[in-house]
Amino acid sequence: MHDVQIKEELKKKTGISIINVVDLLIKHAHKLRASDIHIDPSPDSVRIRLRIDGVLQDIFSLPKDIHSEIISRIKILTGLRTDEHQAAQDGRFRSLGDKDGIIDIRVSIVPTYYGENAVLRLLTDQSETFTLDNLGFSKENLKKILDALRKPYGMILATGPTGSGKTTTLYTMIKRLNTKEVSIITIEDPIEYAIEGIEQVQINPRTGLNFANGLRSFLRQDPNIIMVGEIRDIETAALAVNTALTGHLLLSTLHTNDAATTLPRLLDMKVESYLVASTVNIAIGQRLVRRICPDCKEMYQPSQEVKNRIKAILNNGSKSVSAILSLESYDLWRGKGCQSCNNTGYQGRLGIHEVLALDNDVREAILSRASASDIKKIAIKNGMVGMVEDGFLKAKAGLTTIDEIIRVFYE
């Protein structure tokens, strides 16, 4: 509907309404469940791409002669300088969705060779629909997380690359912990979603309010639970560990490849090994993969080449999981592509996880400053299922495809 309206608007010889074009573009992106709109100028056109379920897709090509007007309209909505074309600018505005209320939109505009490029991040509060039960955690991993959330102090760390769902996981935990008996404070960059009943603070480098300074101030606010958007530096790491050590439950994220690497990473940030061993409750490694579209889902038998590649991957992981994943007798699932999923075969996303709970063996390994690979081997021996294996288990269960697992982890 919206794409038709945009095309009709562009067919006008005169009087094209840039206001309508931008408004319809946002509504169309929202309808398709896009997380980002990319407005990319080229020599003779403007390419519009949407990131849907983590993958960029070409949607429109707009005339080059309306590029500057589109950028100016976005700047006006965001309150940015319309006369500045050679500097990067960031801002935020709100737009009305068709039926789903208000959409918060974060904007980044940067100058490129062919003109200003704009990326719009659509922040619809989907966290309202998420619970720990529907984020994709296995029963075993969910039990580890719930056990960690019941502890009155310690650290819960989520790790993974940008866009792997770490923030959503933390928000979902915070919502579960949010009762009238506790005080919860968060410091974020930026605040993604507002949660009623907790104090949320946005970092502001211009006033010197960063993660470390905010965390230091929070301790005088009598909190029970603190969420720090990200542990980025040595000072924040030291304060976070000290906060967890002094009777607070602290949730945060780190940028590492997997759960096991989180622990040596803290050691690299000058945190003493005995403090890491005594304060970290669990480390959660995660990625996001696309769900198979339920409307065009079909079963198929993978080729021998695919089976051989899967076996080679699994042979490097947990042998116990590999044993139950022998694909000789298993059919797999995929989406054929239909109108519901825009002919992609996928609709929505699903978390792939590994949850490392610190037991005595892992703590001893940390105290001896063992490598991440050694810690991972110990954790797997004691029952942890790695992310790749968790992904294959979900592919076998028909939740995602083998192609998605290979794309996310090996391409």
Side-chain angles (χ1 to χ4, degrees), residues 34-47:
S35 61
D36 300 85
I37 303 171
H38 286 241
I39 302 173
D40 304 324
S42 62
D44 49 16
S45 65
V46 181
R47 183 168 60 156

Side-chain angles (χ1 to χ4, degrees), residues 382-400:
N382 291 354
M384 184 183 84
V385 174
M387 270 187 286
V388 175
E389 288 81 11
D390 187 49
F392 279 115
L393 285 167
K394 283 167 180 167
K396 193 187 101 175
L399 299 173
T400 187

Side-chain angles (χ1 to χ4, degrees), residues 3 27 76 117 121 127 168 189 194 234 237 260 330 341 347 382:
D3 57 340
K27 287 181 178 177
I76 289 167
N117 163 285
R121 166 66 57 89
S127 66
T168 298
D189 180 28
I234 292 172
Y330 289 128
C341 61
Q347 193 173 94
N382 291 354

Side-chain angles (χ1 to χ4, degrees), residues 188-409:
E188 307 170 57
D189 180 28
I191 296 172
E192 299 274 353
Y193 308 114
I195 302 176
E196 189 176 347
I198 71 173
E199 305 301 323
Q200 294 174 270
V201 177
Q202 165 91 41
I203 73 164
N204 187 345
R206 285 178 294 182
T207 62
L209 179 59
N210 56 26
F211 285 124
N213 291 341
L215 187 51
R216 194 179 287 109
S217 300
F218 284 0
L219 295 177
R220 296 189 288 272
Q221 292 278 314
D222 187 33
N224 300 97
I225 299 161
I226 298 174
M227 186 183 103
V228 178
E230 184 185 345
I231 295 176
R232 293 179 178 172
D233 51 51
I234 292 172
E235 186 181 10
T236 307
L239 284 165
V241 168
N242 183 64
T243 299
L245 199 63
T246 54
H248 303 85
L249 186 61
L250 184 133
L251 292 76
S252 191
T253 68
L254 273 172
H255 281 288
T256 59
N257 286 330
D258 57 23
T261 311
T262 303
L263 306 172
R265 174 73 180 129
L266 288 172
L267 300 180
D268 292 342
M269 298 174 90
K270 311 300 181 188
V271 179
E272 294 290 346
S273 58
Y274 74 92
L275 291 174
V276 176
S278 59
T279 56
V280 177
N281 294 339
I282 55 169
I284 304 166
Q286 66 181 73
R287 300 288 190 279
L288 290 177
V289 295
R290 292 180 289 175
R291 285 183 186 268
I292 298 174
C293 174
D295 294 333
C296 60
K297 186 175 177 179
E298 67 173 6
M299 190 178 280
Y300 77 104
Q301 186 65 226
S303 66
Q304 191 58 49
E305 182 184 351
V306 172
K307 288 182 183 179
N308 290 340
R309 184 171 186 188
I310 293 166
K311 284 181 182 176
I313 291 169
L314 288 172
N315 282 338
N316 293 323
S318 164
K319 299 294 187 226
S320 59
V321 175
S322 301
I324 66 170
L325 278 171
S326 171
L327 294 173
E328 295 297 335
S329 58
Y330 289 128
D331 288 320
L332 293 176
W333 298 87
R334 64 188 173 195
K336 290 186 294 186
C338 65
Q339 191 173 354
S340 297
C341 61
N342 205 25
N343 292 314
T344 62
Y346 299 99
Q347 193 173 94
R349 288 194 285 178
L350 171 75
I352 301 297
H353 307 97
E354 62 185 16
V355 179
L356 194 165
L358 270 70
D359 56 23
N360 289 334
D361 292 341
V362 172
R363 288 192 170 95
E364 286 179 16
I366 295 168
L367 291 170
S368 62
R369 303 185 78 85
S371 67
S373 60
D374 288 340
I375 291 171
K376 186 165 187 173
K377 286 175 187 174
I378 293 167
I380 287 173
K381 180 183 173 186
N382 291 354
M384 184 183 84
V385 174
M387 270 187 286
V388 175
E389 288 81 11
D390 187 49
F392 279 115
L393 285 167
K394 283 167 180 167
K396 193 187 101 175
L399 299 173
T400 187
T401 65
I402 290 294
D403 291 341
E404 266 299 277
I405 305 304
I406 292 172
R407 178 185 72 84
V408 167
F409 288 102

